[in-house]
């Protein structure tokens, strides 16, 4: 059975006090919920990683980073290494989020280097891919996804743990969610790529998350799709009640 991730990407939001309140409420409310194969995870700004991990330590909620340096160590002002994340007890990090690709010009090659440095430090990369609006309009979505997969996962072996997040860029923070059919079509394309490159067993057990304007009103229908194994959630993960609602939808989804 694949793991279902309900992953909250907080981006550059929240004060320390808000982090404390959110984690306290989340921890308490999850006590009454049987999660089965659902993994709730929070990806806070790096300055809160330690705080979140500590506050959530007796809970099923995992904490992960939003980004990592592709370098192991050295003169890279402002960057955080995979070994440093590991030393904080992190087990996940996002790589290649479209905001990193867009505002920091991150290429697939760089995303690939980041994924590899995480794997070398026993962290699981959550590798984000997705097409731009103009690429969808031109009908080249699958070409873009194929190139992102080929280049971002280059040299990563079938034995290594990865999570993929499909986030159509036009759906992020815009309120325009992909329809379940559109998302499923790309997810099944990604699953087929995994099958062709890593074999059936690996393809069957790799979680592929959808991201882009998820909210409780659209999440159930997305989760009903065969190849959607959870969500990477921005805006709707900032409010604890809405995040809990999304976790409950994950738990109630057909995969239980
Ligand atoms: P959104 O962000 O849910 O606010 O669209 C998703 C993401 O960027 O991961």
């Amino acid at each position: 059975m694949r793991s279902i991730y309900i992953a909250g990407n907080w981006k550059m939001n929240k004060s320390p006090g808000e982090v404390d309140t959110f984690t306290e409420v989340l921890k308490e409310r999850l006590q009454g919920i049987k999660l089965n194969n659902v993994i709730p995870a929070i990806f806070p700004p790096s300055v809160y990683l330690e705080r979140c991990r500590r506050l959530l330590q007796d809970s099923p909620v995992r904490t992960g980073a939003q980004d990592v340096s592709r370098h192991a160590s050295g003169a890279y002002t402002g960057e955080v290494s995979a070994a440093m994340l590991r030393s904080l007890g992190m087990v996940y990090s996002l790589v290649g989020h479209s905001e990193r690709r867009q505002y920091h010009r991150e290429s697939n090659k760089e995303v690939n280097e980041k994924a590899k440095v995480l794997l070398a430090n026993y962290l699981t990369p959550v590798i984000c891919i997705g097409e731009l609006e103009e690429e969808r309009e031109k009908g080249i979505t699958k070409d873009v996804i194929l190139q992102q997969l080929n280049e971002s996962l280059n040299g990563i072996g079938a034995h290594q743990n990865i999570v993929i997040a499909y986030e159509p860029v036009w759906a992020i923070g815009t309120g325009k969610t992909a329809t379940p059919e559109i998302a499923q079509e790309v997810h099944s394309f990604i699953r087929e790529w995994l099958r062709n490159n890593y074999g059936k067993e690996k393809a069957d057990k790799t979680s592929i998350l959808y991201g882009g304007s998820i909210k409780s009103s659209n999440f159930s229908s997305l989760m009903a799709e065969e190849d959607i194994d959870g969500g990477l959630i921005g805006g709707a993960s900032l409010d604890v009640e809405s995040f809990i609602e999304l976790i409950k939808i994950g738990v109630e989804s057909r995969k239980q």
Side-chain angles (χ1 to χ4, degrees):
M1 199 195 292
R2 286 193 284 274
S3 297
I4 292 174
Y5 290 87
I6 308 296
N9 174 10
W10 282 354
K11 307 190 180 182
M12 198 171 71
N13 290 294
K14 292 204 182 293
S15 67
E18 287 168 345
V19 172
D20 293 357
T21 311
F22 185 108
T23 49
E24 194 184 324
V25 174
L26 180 61
K27 207 168 143 172
E28 195 188 302
R29 297 279 299 282
L30 285 183
Q31 278 171 5
I33 302 177
K34 193 165 181 290
L35 290 167
N36 297 325
N37 62 331
V38 172
I39 301 175
I42 297 288
F43 293 78
S46 57
V47 290
Y48 299 141
L49 288 173
E50 165 95 86
R51 190 183 200 102
C52 281
R53 196 198 55 81
R54 184 169 36 80
L55 291 167
L56 293 166
Q57 67 185 349
D58 302 320
S59 85
V61 185
R62 302 280 166 263
T63 309
Q66 294 177 10
D67 188 32
V68 65
S69 174
R70 68 190 152 128
H71 304 287
S73 66
Y76 301 102
T77 302
E79 299 209 13
V80 173
S81 75
M84 291 170 188
L85 295 178
R86 180 76 200 168
S87 74
L88 291 182
M90 294 303 121
V91 281
Y92 299 101
S93 176
L94 306 182
V95 285
H97 188 279
S98 73
E99 285 150 19
R100 302 288 320 168
R101 292 177 184 264
Q102 197 179 340
Y103 306 138
H104 302 271
R105 306 239 172 283
E106 274 186 22
S107 63
N108 289 327
K109 183 172 175 289
E110 193 169 341
V111 172
N112 180 246
E113 288 170 353
K114 290 182 173 193
K116 283 180 175 160
V117 82
L118 288 168
L119 289 165
N121 285 277
Y122 309 102
L123 279 93
T124 299
V126 179
I127 302 169
C128 305
I129 56 175
E131 81 286 2
L132 303 170
E133 184 151 39
E134 58 262 36
E135 292 167 336
R136 175 156 288 272
E137 279 166 4
K138 275 196 223 149
I140 56 166
T141 296
K142 286 188 181 163
D143 304 288
V144 173
I145 297 295
L146 183 62
Q147 188 174 5
Q148 288 177 332
L149 288 169
N150 284 337
E151 294 179 6
S152 309
L153 278 76
N154 180 34
I156 293 176
H159 61 288
Q160 294 179 297
N161 280 337
I162 55 165
V163 172
I164 301 203
Y166 168 58
E167 298 203 297
V169 180
W170 47 271
I172 297 178
T174 58
K176 283 198 259 177
T177 329
T179 61
E181 296 71 29
I182 287 178
Q184 168 58 24
E185 194 185 350
V186 180
H187 280 238
S188 90
F189 181 75
I190 296 169
R191 183 98 53 215
E192 192 187 319
W193 186 94
L194 292 169
R195 204 176 296 121
N196 294 339
N197 286 272
Y198 295 130
K200 185 176 181 312
E201 196 185 327
K202 171 79 170 174
D204 286 347
K205 75 168 203 230
T206 302
S207 302
I208 308 173
L209 319 186
Y210 167 79
S213 297
I214 288 176
K215 39 189 185 298
S216 50
S217 57
N218 59 31
F219 195 44
S220 311
S221 57
L222 286 159
M223 284 304 294
E225 296 294 339
E226 170 83 26
D227 291 298
I228 300 182
D229 310 312
L232 180 55
I233 304 132
S237 74
L238 292 173
D239 175 69
V240 70
E241 293 304 330
S242 109
F243 190 60
I244 292 166
E245 199 52 43
L246 294 169
I247 294 171
K248 285 186 183 160
I249 293 171
V251 169
E252 282 154 20
S253 72
R254 63 177 166 71
K255 288 156 196 143
Q256 301 302 307

